[in-house]
Amino acid sequence: MSPGEALLREELASRRRRLAELATTQPEERLAELLLQVDAALERLDGPDWGLCAVCQEEVEDRRLETNPLLTVCLECLSADERRALERDLAGAHQVQRRLLPPPELSHGGWQMAWLWEPKGAVSGDHVDLVAPRGDDEPVHLLLGDVAGKGVAASLLQSHLHALFRALLDPRQGLGELLARANRHFHHATGAGSYATLVAARLHGDGSLELTNAGHPRPLLADRRGVRPVEGAGLPLGLFEEAEYSARRLQLAAGDTLLLYTDGWTEASTARGEYGVGRAAAALGAAAQLPLPELLAACRDDMERYLAGGARSDDFTLMALRRERP
């Protein structure tokens, strides 16, 4: 049995236990029907028919099975009504994610911030949040992350991350401890194998910032010396309950720009290979003096030129912050 099938078995067994407990106190017909569906899925998992469409005998899409292991029909064999229902669900999920996003631009305490979020499909596993303080003397918090996986399952975990950080955020607490607390909650709330990479920043009014990295691609800093990655990384969120995180402090001068990104930018690829961190740094260097929305668009456009019309294979998110000039 593959690791993926073992995780699905664990999920199905857990689901059956919960349904069986409910059925003892609430003997409803719908619960009994769900129990039968779970038992049938567990039986298929042990046989040669696991993952095959009951209609055409082709494989059901892996990502759909990961989201719902009770599925027995592939996308091609869905009825017209079922397809329309699925499209409505995805459109609704897309709107929910859109409403959770912060304002696309913000200026506060001598800082300018902007982001660009482009899902590969209807929903995204990329996490972007920008939390403005209630008072002038409090710092701004930025979060940019990437949940492992794609599609609806990843978007659900992304929404969970959004609520988790909003609930835990406390400017009096160290940024490393904030990530450690979030990691413990995320580890307990998600199944085995679920994790997210994330970089968090806390911006102070004196031009300094704290930066904590949980397994995420290194941010790029553009200053008078050029463009370079900011070192430092911990474990992704959710892998190990007791993971610890430390914060690095940077001092930005007026006009300096820090760019956070998900790997949908640097790992975009063609037959020639990946776009890569080197090209990404060059694109940032060429656009470093542009207003932030134009800088983000220039970085995106440089990647699109490299792809030469080819499709992206992943969600794509950029977030830039800059120390304002007096």
Side-chain angles (χ1 to χ4, degrees):
M1 180 178 293
S2 70
E5 290 175 350
L7 289 174
L8 285 174
R9 174 179 288 281
E10 182 180 334
E11 165 63 23
L12 285 167
S14 174
R15 190 178 302 189
R16 194 192 191 288
R17 285 194 298 272
R18 293 195 297 270
L19 288 170
E21 290 170 0
L22 282 172
T24 60
T25 58
Q26 304 177 44
E28 297 183 9
E29 183 177 341
R30 178 58 179 158
L31 287 175
E33 181 183 336
L34 285 172
L35 271 171
L36 290 174
Q37 291 179 14
V38 172
D39 287 338
L42 284 167
E43 185 176 347
R44 289 196 304 275
L45 196 56
D46 292 325
D49 295 334
W50 171 251
L52 295 182
C53 174
V55 178
C56 67
Q57 295 301 301
E58 296 293 330
E59 291 187 354
V60 178
E61 299 79 6
D62 287 342
R63 301 197 194 287
R64 294 180 67 229
L65 279 174
E66 290 170 6
T67 305
N68 183 4
L70 303 183
L71 291 174
T72 59
V73 180
C74 69
L75 281 172
E76 292 297 324
C77 292
L78 290 177
S79 69
D81 287 344
E82 289 170 330
R83 289 194 183 200
R84 282 192 291 270
L86 181 59
E87 289 169 359
R88 285 195 300 271
D89 287 345
L90 288 173
H94 175 79
Q95 290 302 318
V96 169
Q97 275 204 305
R98 281 282 181 188
R99 285 194 289 269
L100 290 176
L101 292 171
E105 296 180 58
L106 176 68
S107 294
H108 183 90
W111 293 96
Q112 298 172 349
M113 293 145 277
W115 54 266
L116 185 63
W117 180 79
E118 296 183 356
K120 173 67 170 65
V123 290
S124 172
D126 281 5
H127 175 67
V128 54
D129 203 3
L130 189 160
V131 186
R134 296 177 181 175
D136 292 337
D137 58 341
E138 293 183 359
V140 181
H141 290 84
L142 304 179
L143 298 164
L144 189 138
D146 186 0
V147 174
K150 294 181 177 64
V152 175
S155 73
L156 288 172
L157 290 177
Q158 181 275 329
S159 298
H160 177 62
L161 270 182
H162 179 275
L164 183 60
F165 274 101
R166 290 274 175 151
L168 294 177
L169 197 59
D170 184 349
R172 298 166 300 180
Q173 185 178 53
L175 201 56
E177 177 55 27
L178 171 64
L179 257 68
R181 290 180 64 200
N183 172 71
R184 289 192 292 271
H185 286 283
F186 196 65
H187 176 80
H188 285 295
T190 58
S194 296
Y195 66 90
T197 66
L198 184 133
V199 60
R202 176 178 287 167
L203 314 183
H204 300 277
D206 62 356
S208 67
L209 67 89
E210 299 169 71
L211 198 68
T212 301
N213 195 319
H216 200 74
R218 296 173 298 171
L220 295 173
L221 176 62
D223 60 13
R224 66 183 185 279
R225 292 183 289 173
V227 178
R228 64 186 186 280
V230 178
E231 301 295 338
L235 292 167
L237 297 181
L239 282 183
F240 301 102
E241 180 180 1
E242 298 304 323
E244 296 182 355
Y245 302 90
S246 59
R248 176 173 183 177
R249 200 170 188 97
L250 301 175
Q251 184 71 42
L252 268 62
D256 290 352
T257 300
L258 186 70
L259 185 64
L260 318 178
Y261 57 92
T262 57
D263 58 15
W265 185 34
T266 53
E267 294 182 6
S269 62
T270 67
R272 294 175 289 160
E274 287 186 349
Y275 179 66
V277 175
R279 289 185 183 87
L284 173 58
Q289 301 305 314
L290 295 175
L292 291 187
E294 295 177 28
L295 179 151
L296 297 176
C299 289
R300 189 256 327 273
D301 292 346
D302 190 72
M303 177 195 69
E304 295 290 355
R305 283 193 294 272
Y306 179 78
L307 292 176
R312 288 189 286 112
S313 61
D314 202 355
D315 302 323
F316 168 81
T317 305
L318 301 176
M319 177 184 280
L321 57 106
R322 174 180 293 159
R323 189 63 184 162
E324 291 180 333
R325 299 183 186 277

